[in-house]
Amino acid sequence: MKRRLIFATNNAHKLDEIRAILGDEIEILSLSDIGCHDDIPETADTLDGNALQKAQYIYNKYGMDCFADDTGLEVRSLGGQPGVHTARYAYPDRNDADANTAKLLRELEKKSDRNARFRTVIALIEKGEVKVFEGIVEGEIATGKRGTGGFGYDPVFIPEQMGKTFAELGIDVKNNISHRARAVRKLAEYISNPSTR
């Protein structure tokens, strides 16, 4: 029987990315697939803390093996911001991708250092045991939006040595090189290879 894991999200973009990266090896269920419509807290001040908080909430409530992620865009000249506030950078109470991107571009207008990195942390809970995986992709912020693919900050993030934004590269390339892809590959390798435990 195929392995099943709950991914503590209802974000369709994230689900599509994760399912594309993991392929048919593991059946990934979303929160709505298990009937969870709770507003899961994300009150930690680190990506690791948020990922673990979400996974722990689902594991404690449903008793099912699960994982959760948190992703942050860390811009060097902004002291690592938006970081843990990446999704709600423009407004503390909601995720507005266009407003987030516009605010980021405004903040970088007079800065010469546009170096940034995307970092994804995945917390997996299996039979009560916690394992954490991290994926990082270095890059820089473009001076304006470019491309139509992807979501969030994809139109302004240029991964190192690519010369194009994630939005210009397209979903297949992004799924191969992204921060989330790197973290998910570590997760998949751990799950499918018992000898690494």
Side-chain angles (χ1 to χ4, degrees):
M1 188 171 142
K2 191 188 284 190
R3 178 77 191 281
R4 299 177 113 194
L5 268 180
I6 311 302
F7 181 18
T9 190
N10 275 322
N11 181 314
H13 294 296
K14 283 187 181 183
L15 279 164
D16 288 345
E17 274 190 5
I18 292 274
R19 286 172 174 156
I21 294 164
L22 288 176
D24 296 332
E25 192 178 321
I26 300 161
E27 184 180 2
I28 301 298
L29 302 176
S30 69
L31 293 177
S32 60
D33 289 334
I34 61 168
C36 177
H37 304 287
D38 301 3
D39 189 13
I40 300 173
E42 290 183 68
T43 55
D45 56 8
T46 64
L47 300 177
D48 303 52
N50 273 341
L52 183 56
Q53 188 178 32
K54 289 186 282 188
Q56 199 74 62
Y57 181 93
I58 296 303
Y59 188 81
N60 290 346
K61 182 165 182 177
Y62 295 92
M64 301 169 78
D65 289 350
C66 63
F67 67 95
D69 80 321
D70 201 19
T71 293
L73 174 63
E74 299 169 340
V75 182
R76 188 163 69 189
S77 64
L78 300 180
Q81 288 297 314
V84 76
H85 305 292
T86 294
R88 294 179 173 82
Y89 192 39
Y91 304 107
D93 60 336
R94 70 182 191 275
N95 181 347
D96 183 326
D98 289 333
N100 289 339
T101 302
K103 178 178 178 179
L104 178 66
L105 291 174
R106 273 195 315 275
E107 303 232 336
L108 288 175
E109 270 175 8
K110 294 181 172 63
K111 298 200 183 287
S112 57
D113 180 359
R114 303 182 76 86
N115 283 294
R117 68 179 188 171
F118 258 122
R119 190 162 68 91
T120 291
V121 177
I122 294 175
L124 167 72
I125 303 182
E126 274 187 312
K127 300 177 180 65
E129 187 179 332
V130 175
K131 189 81 177 166
V132 176
F133 309 91
E134 181 183 70
I136 294 172
V137 62
E138 302 285 348
E140 63 181 352
I141 304 301
T143 53
K145 291 170 86 169
R146 293 172 12 200
T148 57
F151 62 98
Y153 296 88
D154 287 355
V156 298
F157 184 79
I158 304 169
E160 59 184 340
Q161 298 168 340
M162 297 304 287
K164 293 182 177 181
T165 66
F166 271 151
E168 291 175 301
L169 290 168
I171 199 72
D172 290 340
V173 175
K174 181 189 173 186
N175 279 350
N176 196 40
I177 65 168
S178 78
H179 43 292
R180 188 170 292 113
R182 292 173 182 184
V184 170
R185 275 197 288 272
K186 292 176 184 176
L187 168 72
E189 188 178 323
Y190 177 80
I191 289 168
S192 61
N193 188 356
S195 66
T196 61
R197 301 174 183 228

